[in-house]
Amino acid sequence: MFLIDTNRLQAQRRLDVCPIALAVAAVLALLLVTMVGAKAQPVLDGFLRASKSCPATPAIRSDDNPGGVVLTPGRTYRLLAENKADGSHYLLVTPGASPEKRWVEKTCGERVAFEAAPDASPKGRPEMAASPSASPASGDRRRRGSRVIVAMNWQPAFCEISNRAECRSQTSERFDASHFALHGLWPQPRGREFCGVSSALRSADENGDWLDLPAPVVSPTTRRDLERAMPGTRSGLDRHEWLRHGTCYGTDAEEYFRDSLWVLDAVNASGVRTLFTTSVGRTLTRDAVRAAFDRSFGAGTGERVRLTCRRDGDRTLISEITLGLSGDIRVGADLAALIRAAPEARGGCSEGIVDAVGRQ
């Protein structure tokens, strides 16, 4: 007969359990540290307008400064966080640096609500320093490698189920009856919106009171071109698009809309528009639209196109196409290369009718 030493057995079991308990404790400790760290870096909106040439470093407790990055007095930098509530340092974006996210002392400048030129802000109100339509400081541009989506409506289909001002006034002679109309240019990733916009303005935008929003500041030429190519200006679409998306583009309103119109004009001057105008009343497939992009802008560009369709009774109408771009987007750049550099897009609807102007 074998005798079992129960004391030894229990001790062995305790030893077996010990590594497991230690592992669980380590995981819990890591989670606790992560939670504390998250609380220690409150997320911020707005910008820092630099007043001093402060070093911008990847870590607060290290003087290591790859690239020797320093703030430029008078320039504004997008804020991301601070090291803790009422802390000593801001985390901000330094465009072109590697890494771009850097820490600076809070005394290096003043926090402002919008990106603006130094002389554009009212004195004594740094938190409401400028209109979001103001020009950014000299040298502030979108980041190289930016990704955007340009949305272009086929307005006759949009107006089949909309009673907006631009639809009530649409005629067969108007530009958008036979051309793609500008919806907007949307910086990516999705959700990158309302950069530095006050809660009051954002609330007004989300309530749909677009004509009550401030008009974006653009030149008379751009205003004229917008009113032609973006019929939604009649209901304040330009104001909405600027506040929601343009404020995250990294330029002033003039450049944001000029870049948008440049892409729209290129598509309208291509075989893609010809395909639509010669297919009015008929069904177009997604493959046919993508093939038209490949013929117009080069192989592979069609894979960056997505179709959006709307139901109108028993009909499915193509109401919008979206086009992805990635790179240093500006008027005169190689558009085909910018399109090919963007990620491939999910195709959206597989086919739809190209609608004619007027209620069908």
Side-chain angles (χ1 to χ4, degrees):
M1 176 181 292
F2 293 97
L3 297 178
I4 299 176
D5 188 338
T6 55
N7 290 333
R8 174 180 289 183
L9 181 59
Q10 289 174 359
Q12 183 62 46
R13 285 176 178 173
R14 284 195 296 269
L15 289 174
D16 291 341
V17 170
C18 188
I20 299 175
L22 288 173
V24 171
V27 171
L28 290 175
L30 180 61
L31 288 173
L32 181 60
V33 169
T34 302
M35 292 170 64
V36 171
K39 289 182 180 179
Q41 296 183 12
V43 176
L44 297 180
D45 289 326
F47 299 84
L48 180 77
R49 181 179 298 125
S51 59
K52 297 189 292 186
S53 300
C54 293
T57 58
I60 294 175
R61 293 181 175 83
S62 173
D63 294 331
D64 185 35
N65 186 356
V69 178
V70 296
L71 301 186
T72 301
R75 183 174 178 178
T76 51
Y77 298 84
R78 182 162 62 89
L79 290 172
L80 301 175
E82 60 181 317
N83 59 321
K84 61 181 179 179
D86 298 321
S88 59
H89 287 71
Y90 285 137
L91 180 66
L92 47 71
V93 175
T94 52
S98 180
E100 285 192 330
K101 296 179 181 179
R102 302 285 182 120
W103 290 98
V104 298
E105 293 183 3
K106 294 175 71 172
T107 57
C108 293
E110 63 177 353
R111 184 180 173 189
V112 296
F114 302 111
E115 192 172 17
D119 59 357
S121 59
K123 301 295 183 183
R125 297 183 63 194
E127 293 297 328
M128 293 296 293
S131 161
S133 298
S135 300
S138 176
D140 280 345
R141 281 196 56 86
R142 71 192 73 72
R143 294 172 298 158
R144 290 183 180 274
S146 295
R147 290 193 298 114
V148 303
I149 289 174
V150 179
M152 296 162 280
N153 286 339
W154 187 252
Q155 200 74 5
F158 172 79
C159 287
E160 284 288 359
I161 55 176
S162 174
N163 195 39
R164 288 185 176 273
E166 61 267 29
C167 294
R168 296 194 300 270
S169 60
Q170 189 182 44
T171 67
S172 58
E173 291 78 32
R174 206 168 72 181
F175 175 86
D176 54 291
S178 57
H179 295 74
F180 292 106
L182 180 62
H183 181 174
L185 183 154
W186 307 331
Q188 298 300 294
R190 186 176 181 178
R192 189 179 170 200
E193 302 172 342
F194 295 109
C195 294
V197 175
S198 70
S199 58
L201 276 178
R202 179 167 183 164
S203 178
D205 179 274
E206 292 176 339
N207 288 336
D209 305 325
W210 294 349
L211 287 174
D212 294 334
L213 301 172
V217 178
V218 295
S219 66
T221 299
T222 298
R223 172 54 56 192
R224 180 200 65 206
D225 293 346
L226 267 180
E227 290 178 353
R228 175 172 177 261
M230 187 186 228
T233 55
R234 293 161 177 80
S235 57
L237 178 63
D238 56 324
R239 305 175 186 213
H240 161 73
E241 290 296 317
W242 168 247
L243 281 182
R244 183 170 182 173
H245 302 290
T247 53
C248 300
Y249 188 53
T251 71
D252 59 10
E254 173 73 16
E255 193 166 355
Y256 169 73
F257 284 114
R258 290 271 27 127
D259 288 354
S260 305
L261 290 166
W262 169 65
V263 178
L264 177 76
D265 289 346
V267 174
N268 275 327
S270 75
V272 178
R273 172 183 166 256
T274 302
L275 175 66
F276 271 69
T277 57
T278 57
S279 302
V280 171
R282 296 190 288 112
T283 296
L284 269 184
T285 65
R286 177 177 63 216
D287 289 345
V289 175
R290 286 183 157 185
F293 268 91
D294 284 344
R295 290 192 298 271
S296 298
F297 299 102
T301 57
E303 296 297 320
R304 280 74 185 168
V305 175
R306 176 183 173 88
L307 266 62
T308 300
C309 295
R310 292 180 173 225
R311 293 288 299 175
D312 178 41
D314 60 353
R315 300 188 305 158
T316 299
L317 309 177
I318 300 176
S319 60
E320 184 172 77
I321 60 173
T322 56
L323 177 64
L325 295 88
S326 184
D328 191 14
I329 301 158
R330 64 183 71 229
V331 174
D334 185 343
L335 181 58
L338 293 172
I339 298 171
R340 286 194 297 270
E344 293 184 2
R346 295 179 180 177
C349 55
S350 60
E351 64 178 28
I353 296 171
V354 180
D355 197 33
V357 68
R359 295 292 177 94
Q360 307 299 309

